[in-house]
Amino acid sequence: MDSNKRPETMQRITTPELANAFIDEQVASVRAQVGNKKVLLALSGGVDSSVVAALLIKAIGKQLVCVHVNHGLMRKGESEMVIDVFGKAMDANLVYIDATDRFLNLLAGVAEPEKKRKIIGGEFIKVFDEEAAKLEGIEFLAQGTIYPDILESDGVKAHHNVGGLPEDMKMELVEPVKLLYKDEVRVVGDALGLPHEMVYRQPFPGPGLGVRCLGAITRDRLHALREADAILREEFDIAGLAGKVWQYFIAVPDFKSVGVRDGKRYEGWPAIIRAVNTTDAMSATVEEIPYAVLHKITDRITSEVAGINRVLYDLTPKPCGTIEWE
Ligand code: XMP
C-alpha cells in the first residue's frame, strides 16, 4: 500500500473524539518507529509544525529536539509564542536561534523578490544544518507535511516554502499528519491543547515579512511593517473579523510620500492593507471591511508607527493581483 495515499475509508477528523483516537494511534506508531532514538524538527510556529511538535512531545517527550530559527522576518510576538508554548508550557527540548542579523545582513540592498526568497530559503537551510550538526545521535527528521502538500507536490507551497531541508540530510522521516487536511490538523491541534491563536493562525509565507517589506529590506521599514501588521491584527480581532477573513496583512513599499504632522512636513511610507477571502489561494476576493474599522486602523497606524504617514486599502481581487505584493 502506498503510505502517501489517504485510504478511502479514512474518516474525516471533525470532533475531539476522532482527534483523540487519531492522536492515540499516532503516538503508538511514532513510538514504534522511533524507539529510544532522537528526532529533529524545524519548528516554525505555523500550524502544521506546531501540531507535529505537540504530537511528538506527547509521544516521545525529550527525545524530540525542536529547532526554531527566527529569521528576523516573523510577525510580532511569534517567536516569543513558540518559546512560551513549547519551551515553557510544554517543557520541550527547544533550541531557539535568533539569526536575525545573519538574514538581514545578507538581504541588505537586495530588491529583487526571487533573489530575496532564495537568500532566505538558502540561509534557513544553512542555519538549520549548522544546528543539526551540533546535535548528536539524531536519526529521525520530523516534518509537518500535510495531505495537500503531497497532492500538490509540484504546487505553490512546495515550490516556495522555506522549510525545504538539505537533501543530504540522511535521516528517516517522521510525518504523523501527512494524511490530514488542514481542517483536521486544526482539530487535532485543539485536542492537543495548543492555543487557539496558534491553531487558527492564518497562512503565513515561509519567507515571512520578507515578501511584505517590498524592495530592499531595511530594519526601520521592517520594524514599521511589523508594528503596523500587529495593529491590523489587533483591530481585526476586536472587530470580529479575525475568524471571518482568510488572510489579512500589511505590505510596506520602499517609497515615501510627503505628508504633514504637527504643522511640519512629514515624509513616510504608505502601509497597504490586504484582506482577502479564498478557499484555495488560487483566486481571491477582497473583504468588505466596514469604514469605521478602516478609519480606526488608519488612525492607530499613522499615530503609533514611526515612519508611516498614509494607509491604503488594496481593492484588487486575484486575479489580477496576487495575494502577496512581493
Ligand atoms: P499569491 O501571492 O501567489 O499567494 O497569491 C498565494 C498564497 O500563498 C501564500 N504564500 C506562501 N505560502 N510559502 C507558503 O507556504 C511561501 O513561500 C509563500 N508565499 C506566498 C500567500 O501568503 C497566499 O496565501
Side-chain angles (χ1 to χ4, degrees):
M1 193 185 88
D2 180 357
S3 68
N4 277 345
K5 184 152 174 19
R6 183 175 168 121
E8 269 163 32
T9 51
M10 189 168 152
Q11 204 178 348
R12 192 91 171 196
I13 301 171
T14 51
T15 63
E17 292 71 33
L18 290 169
N20 284 325
F22 173 82
I23 292 165
D24 290 345
E25 190 188 295
Q26 286 305 317
V27 164
S29 122
V30 167
R31 284 184 185 152
Q33 183 188 4
V34 169
N36 58 4
K37 305 277 172 37
K38 284 194 201 157
V39 181
L40 181 65
L41 170 71
L43 176 58
S44 68
V47 182
D48 307 335
S49 67
S50 296
V51 170
V52 167
L55 190 57
L56 294 187
I57 290 165
K58 193 174 168 93
I60 56 170
K62 301 253 176 183
Q63 284 166 250
L64 174 72
V65 183
C66 301
V67 175
H68 176 68
V69 178
N70 178 357
H71 49 25
L73 302 164
M74 308 288 285
R75 284 174 294 199
K76 189 171 181 174
E78 278 187 325
S79 286
E80 291 79 357
M81 191 171 193
V82 168
I83 295 171
D84 283 346
V85 171
F86 295 100
K88 296 185 183 151
M90 293 195 181
D91 192 28
N93 213 338
L94 172 69
V95 181
Y96 169 69
I97 303 154
D98 183 354
T100 301
D101 286 337
R102 279 179 69 157
F103 282 85
L104 295 189
N105 289 344
L106 279 176
L107 287 164
V110 182
E112 203 208 304
E114 280 310 310
K115 253 195 204 145
K116 285 164 70 181
R117 276 184 178 276
K118 277 216 178 85
I119 290 173
I120 298 167
E123 193 61 10
F124 184 91
I125 290 176
K126 240 171 143 181
V127 174
F128 188 78
D129 212 7
E130 282 170 21
E131 286 312 308
K134 290 184 201 159
L135 302 164
E136 275 177 20
I138 305 260
E139 294 189 21
F140 294 87
L141 182 71
Q143 282 189 333
T145 313
I146 67 172
Y147 205 46
D149 300 333
I150 292 176
L151 295 177
E152 304 154 14
S153 55
D154 299 322
V156 178
K157 181 168 171 182
H159 153 73
H160 57 201
N161 234 4
V162 156
L165 293 168
E167 279 176 12
D168 58 356
M169 240 184 209
K170 292 210 174 46
M171 288 192 265
E172 189 178 323
L173 293 180
V174 179
E175 298 178 300
V177 299
K178 72 175 175 184
L179 296 184
L180 301 193
Y181 290 100
K182 195 80 173 192
D183 51 295
E184 299 177 287
V185 176
R186 293 198 157 113
V187 180
V188 169
D190 268 337
L192 285 163
L194 287 172
H196 183 86
E197 206 187 322
M198 194 168 238
V199 172
Y200 289 89
R201 160 170 297 176
Q202 35 170 335
F204 186 54
L209 298 181
V211 301
R212 298 176 184 169
C213 191
L214 310 176
I217 297 169
T218 56
R219 288 178 195 242
D220 52 354
R221 197 157 48 86
L222 179 61
H223 179 75
L225 163 61
R226 181 177 287 120
E227 295 299 319
D229 184 70
I231 291 173
L232 177 78
R233 284 194 285 148
E234 225 175 280
E235 292 300 328
F236 266 45
D237 263 337
I238 293 170
L241 291 166
K244 256 183 71 191
V245 184
W246 194 79
Q247 195 174 23
Y248 48 96
F249 57 85
I250 299 277
V252 177
D254 60 346
F255 61 80
K256 288 186 170 177
S257 69
V258 69
V260 60
R261 181 183 245 173
D262 304 329
K264 278 194 229 112
R265 190 181 160 99
Y266 173 54
E267 288 190 352
W269 304 290
I272 301 161
I273 302 175
R274 191 93 173 111
V276 296
N277 277 318
T278 177
T279 45
D280 57 7
M282 300 300 286
S283 64
T285 55
V286 172
E287 178 71 17
E288 306 238 334
I289 308 296
Y291 260 83
V293 177
L294 290 173
H295 282 303
K296 188 167 175 216
I297 292 169
T298 304
D299 284 348
R300 282 200 59 196
I301 291 180
T302 50
S303 63
E304 293 174 35
V305 183
I308 294 196
N309 67 348
R310 291 174 198 260
V311 176
L312 318 178
Y313 189 41
D314 181 354
L315 286 170
T316 323
K318 175 180 180 178
C320 64
T322 48
I323 295 175
E324 300 290 347
W325 273 57
E326 295 253 13

